[in-house]
């Protein structure tokens, strides 16, 4: 598999308390890095939920809050459900502003447990992915107050939702 352009992340297990994904960039991008967190100890999720799926995979994304301040972090609980949930190894998270400009675009590799023979394949996987509402190396667009659309993609399933960014 060859991936061209954008920021690509890989997942590192970090001492049992949390998992972080570290990003690298293509040579045409600046040398600034981007770090996202997949946390085992999620914040309360008081925001709206967005769901979409096919017969084999359903994605349910719930925001930690209905809005986020510029420069602050918003977490998303991502639940993958169905017979294909365990086979998702890559999520793509894209966030666009009201003008359709990308303010964030990253691929997140997801960790998996090795299954022993005879163990049933899990039908649900849950991850908590966080986004900081600030300028990103993947798109040199300043994040300003307004409505943003997030697009979460995995295995030909796409979920879209609205994030309100406030001062």
């Amino acid at each position: 598999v060859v991936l061209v352009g954008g920021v690509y992340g890989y997942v590192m297990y970090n001492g049992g308390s949390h998992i972080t994904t570290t990003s690298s960039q293509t040579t045409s991008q600046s040398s600034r890095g981007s770090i996202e967190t997949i946390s085992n100890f999620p914040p309360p999720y008081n925001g709206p939920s967005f769901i979409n799926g096919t017969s084999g995979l359903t994605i349910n994304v719930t925001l930690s809050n209905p809005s986020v301040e510029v420069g602050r972090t918003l977490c998303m609980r991502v639940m993958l459900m169905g017979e294909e949930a365990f086979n998702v190894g890559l999520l793509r998270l894209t966030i666009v502003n009201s003008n359709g400009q990308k303010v964030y675009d990253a691929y997140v590799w997801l960790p998996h447990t090795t299954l022993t023979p005879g163990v049933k394949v899990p039908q649900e996987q849950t991850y908590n992915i966080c986004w900081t509402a600030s300028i990103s190396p993947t798109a040199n667009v300043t994040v300003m107050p307004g409505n943003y659309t997030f697009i979460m993609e995995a295995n030909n399933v796409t979920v879209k939702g609205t994030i309100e960014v406030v001062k």
Side-chain angles (χ1 to χ4, degrees), residues 42-97:
Y45 284 85
N46 302 319
S49 291
F50 305 91
I51 190 167
N52 193 23
T54 63
S55 60
L57 177 65
T58 299
I59 302 174
N60 183 344
V61 178
T62 303
L63 304 181
S64 59
N65 292 297
S67 64
V68 63
E69 291 180 26
V70 173
R72 300 284 187 167
T73 300
L74 177 76
C75 291
M76 301 173 198
R77 182 178 57 217
V78 180
M79 295 176 64
L80 307 173
M81 301 169 288
E83 60 191 40
E84 292 297 315
F86 191 75
N87 294 326
V88 175
L90 180 69
L91 282 175
R92 181 176 186 180
L93 174 60
T94 305
I95 299 176
V96 298
N97 64 19

Side-chain angles (χ1 to χ4, degrees), residues 11-12 15-16 21-22 24 32 46 60-61 68 76 78 86 89 103 107 127 135 139 145:
V11 174
M12 299 183 308
T21 60
T22 305
S24 61
R32 289 176 291 165
N46 302 319
N60 183 344
V61 178
V68 63
M76 301 173 198
V78 180
F86 191 75
V103 298
Y107 292 87
Y127 303 95
I135 197 161

